[in-house]
């Protein structure tokens, strides 16, 4: 009976997804993304409007800010673009689910695998629904170009959220559909600015950058070499201090994870015990002064990248 209920939940979820896309005519098993030129790494690149065929709500809002050059407008631009990147991620995952051969016959799946399939489908359907009104019919490549231009521009203009989002985001937000030269341009931009933005974020105790910086210290060396291998590690003292503060601000499960990473970091002997004690004292005092009455944050949600924390996956 439990297996039947699980199968029914999966089927119902995917049926809803299929109806949505077939009604809109958006289901293409071999969909492609239009190609366009990416801008050079100079942060002064002028923002380009979406193509004339893009009539999405996102494109209309972007065009309405075409001549705006203030920090608030640029910040809104990068956050809305980030939300539309999320929309396209959800769209691609849903299409992948629809093409998943396992769904033709679920009788051989275990209960745990069925729960995983169902939870994943529900997750992306929810993300799709939250971003559909803004981002439906937008062009993914154009959205990515606008995002990479506006997030660096907002960061250089002083946006703390943009600094954070630039550091914790993938240099290539679409992760595909670009040439090797375009990939090189994005990597060069990231290598140039990420260290400064990361230091700024760590100095103010940013939890998202702290967790990323801490992980970079303890992660196993990659067997796949890339241009990102030359990215310098963040200051170890600032990393410890901000990560300790983050451990106080997150959920209990995430705190356990961060504390474990700090233990691993400590074994590298990059800091004196006096430095660790001083950093811990700063973190504790900062937490009680500014964050003790605020609800726990979800460190995996990357909330600073979106217009509303509720949109962060």
């Amino acid at each position: 009976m439990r297996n039947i209920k699980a199968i029914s939940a999966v089927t119902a979820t995917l049926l809803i997804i299929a109806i949505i896309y077939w009604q809109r005519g958006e289901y293409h098993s071999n969909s492609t993304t239009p190609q366009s030129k990416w801008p050079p790494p100079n942060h002064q690149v002028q923002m380009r409007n979406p193509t004339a065929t893009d009539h999405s709500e996102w494109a209309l809002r972007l065009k309405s800010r075409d001549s705006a050059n203030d920090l608030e407008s640029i910040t809104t631009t990068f956050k809305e673009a980030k939300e539309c990147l999320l929309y396209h991620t959800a769209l691609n995952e849903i299409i992948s689910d629809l093409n998943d051969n396992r769904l033709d016959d679920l009788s051989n799946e275990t209960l745990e695998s069925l729960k995983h399939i169902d939870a994943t489908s529900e997750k992306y359907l929810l993300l799709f629904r939250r971003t559909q009104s803004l981002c439906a019919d937008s062009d993914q490549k154009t959205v990515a170009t606008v995002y990479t231009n506006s997030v660096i521009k907002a960061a250089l203009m002083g946006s703390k959220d943009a600094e954070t989002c630039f550091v914790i985001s993938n240099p290539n937000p679409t992760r595909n559909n670009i040439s090797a030269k375009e990939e090189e341009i994005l990597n060069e931009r990231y290598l140039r600015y990420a260290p400064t933005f990361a230091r700024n974020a760590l100095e103010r105790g940013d939890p998202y950058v702290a967790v990323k910086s801490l992980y970079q210290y303890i992660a196993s060396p990659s067997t796949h070499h890339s241009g990102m291998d030359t990215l310098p590690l963040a200051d170890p003292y600032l990393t410890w201090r901000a990560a300790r503060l983050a451990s106080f601000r997150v959920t209990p499960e995430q705190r356990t994870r961060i504390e474990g990473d700090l233990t691993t970091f400590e074994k590298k002997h990059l800091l004196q015990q006096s430095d660790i004690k001083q950093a811990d004292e700063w973190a504790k005092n900062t937490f009680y002064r500014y964050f003790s009455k605020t609800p726990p944050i979800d460190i995996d949600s990357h909330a600073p990248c979106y217009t509303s924390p509720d949109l962060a996956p």
Side-chain angles (χ1 to χ4, degrees), residues 220-225:
S220 300
S222 174
T223 57
H224 303 285
H225 299 293

Side-chain angles (χ1 to χ4, degrees), residues 203-243:
E203 285 179 343
R204 61 177 179 264
D206 183 278
Y208 304 96
V209 175
V211 169
K212 181 180 178 68
S213 298
L214 180 63
Y215 175 77
Q216 290 173 327
Y217 267 105
I218 67 174
S220 300
S222 174
T223 57
H224 303 285
H225 299 293
S226 73
M228 291 293 101
D229 294 339
T230 62
L231 185 69
L233 296 173
D235 179 272
Y237 176 78
L238 293 178
T239 297
W240 180 285
R241 193 179 73 167

Side-chain angles (χ1 to χ4, degrees), residues 60-73:
L60 295 176
R61 292 188 188 184
L62 183 63
K63 290 175 182 177
S64 72
R65 296 190 298 269
D66 186 38
S67 59
N69 201 38
D70 60 285
L71 179 56
E72 182 179 358
S73 297

Side-chain angles (χ1 to χ4, degrees), residues 225-284:
H225 299 293
S226 73
M228 291 293 101
D229 294 339
T230 62
L231 185 69
L233 296 173
D235 179 272
Y237 176 78
L238 293 178
T239 297
W240 180 285
R241 193 179 73 167
R244 180 68 78 189
L245 175 60
S247 73
F248 297 149
R249 298 184 59 191
V250 298
T251 64
E253 296 81 7
Q254 292 174 341
R255 179 174 186 176
T256 299
R257 187 177 78 201
I258 295 174
E259 294 289 354
D261 290 346
L262 284 169
T263 299
T264 302
F265 179 87
E266 185 176 5
K267 292 177 182 178
K268 293 182 176 292
H269 304 292
L270 298 173
L271 296 173
Q272 300 292 329
Q273 286 300 313
S274 58
D275 292 330
I276 292 176
K277 182 178 179 180
Q278 182 181 34
D280 287 349
E281 190 67 21
W282 177 91
K284 183 172 67 173

Side-chain angles (χ1 to χ4, degrees), residues 136-304:
D137 300 323
S138 62
D139 174 68
Q140 183 180 12
K141 189 71 176 289
T142 304
V143 169
T145 301
V146 170
Y147 170 74
T148 56
N149 278 340
S150 56
V151 71
I152 182 67
K153 187 172 184 178
L156 290 166
M157 292 174 68
S159 168
K160 295 177 181 178
D161 283 351
E163 285 187 336
T164 297
C165 196
F166 183 90
V167 173
I168 65 179
S169 296
N170 191 292
N172 172 15
T174 63
R175 297 176 183 267
N176 52 30
N177 292 329
I178 64 173
S179 68
K181 181 60 178 178
E182 292 167 335
E183 183 85 31
E184 181 183 353
I185 288 172
L186 292 178
N187 287 346
E188 287 178 352
R189 180 185 289 183
Y190 189 85
L191 290 170
R192 178 180 178 184
Y193 293 108
T196 299
F197 294 160
R199 184 176 183 87
N200 293 343
L202 292 174
E203 285 179 343
R204 61 177 179 264
D206 183 278
Y208 304 96
V209 175
V211 169
K212 181 180 178 68
S213 298
L214 180 63
Y215 175 77
Q216 290 173 327
Y217 267 105
I218 67 174
S220 300
S222 174
T223 57
H224 303 285
H225 299 293
S226 73
M228 291 293 101
D229 294 339
T230 62
L231 185 69
L233 296 173
D235 179 272
Y237 176 78
L238 293 178
T239 297
W240 180 285
R241 193 179 73 167
R244 180 68 78 189
L245 175 60
S247 73
F248 297 149
R249 298 184 59 191
V250 298
T251 64
E253 296 81 7
Q254 292 174 341
R255 179 174 186 176
T256 299
R257 187 177 78 201
I258 295 174
E259 294 289 354
D261 290 346
L262 284 169
T263 299
T264 302
F265 179 87
E266 185 176 5
K267 292 177 182 178
K268 293 182 176 292
H269 304 292
L270 298 173
L271 296 173
Q272 300 292 329
Q273 286 300 313
S274 58
D275 292 330
I276 292 176
K277 182 178 179 180
Q278 182 181 34
D280 287 349
E281 190 67 21
W282 177 91
K284 183 172 67 173
N285 290 339
T286 301
F287 173 75
Y288 283 113
R289 182 178 299 177
Y290 298 108
F291 304 110
S292 60
K293 296 182 180 179
T294 60
I297 62 174
D298 180 357
I299 201 65
D300 300 321
S301 70
H302 296 178

